[in-house]
Amino acid sequence: MSDSTQQKISNGVKTRFAPSPTGFLHVGGLRTCLYSWLFAKKNNGKFILRVEDTDRQRYVENAVENLLKMLQTMGLDWDEGPFLENDKIIQKGDCGPYIQSERLEIYQNLAKKLVEEDKAYYCFCTSEELDKMKQDQMAQKLPPRYDERCRKLSKIEIENKLKNKTPYVIRLKVPEEGTIAFTDLIRGEIKFDLKDIDDQVLLKSDGFPTYHLAVVIDDYKMEITHIIRGEEWIPSVPKHILLYQYFNWPLPQFAHLPLLLNPDHSKLSKRQGDVTVEDYLSKGYLKEAILNFIAFLGWNPGTEQEIFTLEELIKTFSLEKIQKAGAVFNVEKLDWLNGCYIRQMNIDELTKQCMPYLEQAGLIKSLNFGWIKKIVALEQERLKRLNEIGDLTKFFFLDVLEYTPELLQWKKMDNQQIKDSLSQTCAILEKISSDEFTAKNIMDNLSPLKEKIGVGEMLWPLRVALSGLKSSPPPEAIAEVLGKEKTINRVNQAIEKLK
C-alpha cells in the first residue's frame, strides 16, 4: 500500500493525547501532550484528551483525576474529553465517551465485524499452549510469534468451540505477503514487510480490546487527523494501517517523536532519576520552565532564542523541526532555564511560592511576609530551584551559626588580624542608627576601613560572621535584612570563636 491513501479529514486539524491511568504523568507523556497541543493551536485546530484504560491490571485508582489536575496545572487546555469539575469527572464533546472502558461495545462489535468479513479470526489457544509455542521457538532461535494454528481451523471446529463456550481472543488476519508503507511527518517514508508482522490480538478473552484495536477505532471515530506519539509505536503502525484498510477508513497523518534519553544515552527511566512531572514540580521547578525545557527535547526553532512562552512556542512550533535522533534529558539545562524564569519573577509571587519550602524546612516560626520577601530577594539571582531556598537562607533564621573559626580566615590572616578586622567593623556598625541600617549606609561607613586594611580582609570575615558560609549574598545586604542588633550579635559571636 502506498502512503497516497493518507488524507486529512476535511474539518481541520485535530490531535489527541491519550494516556493510560497507570500512575503519575511521565515527562515523556507531557512532551507528547505539549507537541500535540502546540500543533493543534498552531493550525487553529482542536486538541482532545482520551483516557486509554483498557489495561485493567495496570490501572491505578485516582490516576485519571491526578492526570487532569496535572494538565490543568501545566496550563494545557483541551477541547473535548474528560474534565474535572467539583472533584467529579465530566465528559464533554460530540465524540464520546472519551474513556475507553466505556466504549467496550463499540470495540466488540467492530471486532466481530472483522471476523465476519474474514479479516480477523477466533483464537482458542490457552496461555499454556502459547507459552510452550514461545519456548519451542526460542529453543530453535526463532523470533517468538504466534504460529497461526487457529487461523487454519475449519468452520465446523470454530462453531463447536464457540458452542462449548471455549474462551477465545480475536486476532488480526495479516496478509502473508506484500509490503506496507507510510510517510511519517518526522522520519519520511517507512516500509514494512508483511511477512514480519504477527497476527496481533485485537480483542482479549475478557472482552476488552488491545491497544491496537481501540486506538484505531477511537482515532477514527474521534476524527483525529494527526497522531503524534513516541517512536516506540512505529512497529505497530503496519497493524494499524491494516485495520484502517480493513474498515475502509482514511488514514490519519503520523509523526513519531524521538526517544528521551538519560545523559548516558540509555532510555529515560525511573532507575536513573525522576521521571514524573510531579517529581519536578515538587522540587521547585516552575511549570513555565518545565514546558520550555520539554519543548526543546527533540525540537529546535533553528534560532538562538532559548526562552519561550507558550504563546511564542505556538507561533514557532512545527513538526518539520523535530529531530529523529534521541533527545538527552539534561537536568543541568533544566536548572539553568528554571533559574532564568526565577530571576524574571515578581518578588511577591516568588516569595509566595518559596513559603511552602521554608515551612517544610522548619524555618518559619511566625509569618512576617515583608521580612521573608527581603530574604528571598537576596537569593533570587542564585536560586535555581525553589526547594533550594531553605538551605540558601537557613542562616537568616538561626540564633547561633555553626561554623569553624578557620572559615573566618581570608588568605593568610592570623586570628589576631581577623579579630581586629571584626572589632573595628563592629565599632563602626554600632554608630549607625537602626533606622539607617541599610546596605548602602553600611558600605559607606565601612569604606574607610576597607581602604585601610583591604577589601578581602574586611569583607570576608564579616561575610562568614553573618552567614557562616563561604558563599552568600554580600555581607552589607545580609546585615540590612538581619537588622542592627542581630548583625552586631553575630559579629561578636565570631570574635568569641577566635578566643
Side-chain angles (χ1 to χ4, degrees), residues 254-305:
F254 295 97
H256 289 91
L257 309 175
L259 288 174
L260 294 186
L261 306 174
N262 290 303
D264 65 1
H265 288 264
S266 60
K267 187 177 178 183
L268 190 68
S269 68
K270 287 182 181 177
R271 289 189 298 276
Q272 295 202 35
D274 299 318
V275 295
T276 72
V277 182
E278 266 96 345
D279 291 334
Y280 289 97
L281 287 172
S282 68
K283 282 187 171 182
Y285 289 101
L286 304 174
K287 66 178 183 180
E288 296 85 357
I290 294 172
L291 289 170
N292 194 153
F293 174 74
I294 291 285
F296 273 76
L297 291 178
W299 171 83
N300 192 298
T303 66
E304 296 298 313
Q305 184 178 349

Side-chain angles (χ1 to χ4, degrees), residues 110-120 173 245-248:
L110 284 167
K112 296 281 176 67
K113 182 173 185 286
L114 290 174
V115 173
E116 290 165 6
E117 295 175 355
D118 199 29
K119 294 166 182 173
K173 186 175 275 190
Q245 283 184 316
Y246 287 174
F247 287 127
N248 197 29

Side-chain angles (χ1 to χ4, degrees), residues 43-166:
N43 292 281
N44 297 311
K46 286 187 175 182
F47 172 66
I48 76 163
L49 185 64
R50 182 172 76 227
V51 175
E52 299 191 340
D53 63 340
T54 56
D55 188 343
R56 303 311 289 177
Q57 290 184 333
R58 296 178 62 218
Y59 179 83
V60 173
E61 198 70 33
N62 296 321
V64 176
E65 289 85 347
N66 289 335
L67 171 76
L68 299 179
K69 286 176 185 174
M70 185 49 55
L71 293 181
Q72 287 174 343
T73 297
M74 299 308 291
L76 301 177
D77 58 333
W78 55 100
D79 299 293
E80 302 173 23
F83 294 80
L84 204 57
E85 294 183 0
N86 300 319
D87 292 327
K88 289 185 179 179
I89 295 174
I90 308 293
Q91 298 186 56
K92 298 178 184 179
D94 298 329
C95 301
Y98 295 90
I99 296 173
Q100 284 186 338
S101 58
E102 299 177 17
R103 299 171 60 83
L104 297 184
E105 191 175 347
I106 298 171
Y107 309 131
Q108 292 164 357
N109 290 341
L110 284 167
K112 296 281 176 67
K113 182 173 185 286
L114 290 174
V115 173
E116 290 165 6
E117 295 175 355
D118 199 29
K119 294 166 182 173
Y121 59 94
Y122 294 109
C123 172
F124 302 94
C125 293
T126 63
S127 56
E128 292 77 16
E129 287 175 306
L130 294 171
D131 287 342
K132 186 176 184 307
M133 187 187 303
K134 183 178 180 180
Q135 289 167 8
D136 290 346
Q137 289 168 338
M138 290 175 72
Q140 298 173 55
K141 296 186 177 178
L142 296 170
R145 59 180 290 167
Y146 184 62
D147 66 5
E148 302 179 7
R149 63 182 67 176
C150 286
R151 187 167 171 165
K152 305 177 183 72
L153 293 175
S154 67
K155 190 175 180 181
I156 294 174
E157 288 176 303
I158 293 168
E159 286 174 355
N160 285 336
K161 287 181 180 292
L162 291 174
K163 188 177 179 181
N164 293 329
K165 294 188 170 17
T166 306

Side-chain angles (χ1 to χ4, degrees), residues 284-336:
Y285 289 101
L286 304 174
K287 66 178 183 180
E288 296 85 357
I290 294 172
L291 289 170
N292 194 153
F293 174 74
I294 291 285
F296 273 76
L297 291 178
W299 171 83
N300 192 298
T303 66
E304 296 298 313
Q305 184 178 349
E306 294 188 281
I307 309 293
F308 281 83
T309 63
L310 274 180
E311 290 72 24
E312 289 172 325
L313 283 172
I314 291 169
K315 290 176 185 174
T316 314
F317 182 79
S318 72
L319 295 175
E320 290 77 20
K321 290 177 181 173
I322 295 177
Q323 67 192 41
K324 300 175 190 175
V328 174
F329 194 101
N330 184 339
V331 176
E332 290 178 3
K333 183 64 179 287
L334 176 56
D335 283 343
W336 174 81

Side-chain angles (χ1 to χ4, degrees), residues 178-228:
T179 59
I180 275 187
F182 74 100
T183 299
D184 188 281
L185 295 173
I186 295 168
R187 299 159 193 278
E189 187 179 61
I190 301 176
K191 287 184 179 180
F192 294 90
D193 199 321
L194 286 171
K195 71 178 189 314
D196 298 324
I197 309 300
D198 201 3
D199 281 3
Q200 177 68 48
V201 174
L202 299 177
L203 197 70
K204 294 177 281 188
S205 57
D206 61 2
F208 275 78
T210 60
Y211 168 81
H212 305 281
L213 179 67
V215 75
V216 168
I217 292 172
D218 289 348
D219 283 338
Y220 171 72
K221 296 280 187 183
M222 295 178 188
E223 301 174 350
I224 303 303
T225 63
H226 293 77
I227 295 172
I228 300 169

Side-chain angles (χ1 to χ4, degrees), residues 445-495:
N445 280 271
L446 289 175
S447 201
L449 179 61
K450 182 175 68 173
E451 295 296 325
K452 178 183 171 185
I453 67 173
V455 177
E457 285 77 4
M458 188 198 77
L459 290 179
W460 181 266
L462 181 58
R463 173 200 294 276
V464 175
L466 298 184
S467 70
L469 302 169
K470 282 183 181 180
S471 177
S472 73
E476 68 275 14
I478 297 173
E480 179 180 337
V481 173
L482 288 174
K484 181 177 178 178
E485 184 181 348
K486 253 191 174 181
T487 297
I488 290 169
N489 283 343
R490 289 193 178 187
V491 174
N492 285 327
Q493 286 172 15
I495 293 169

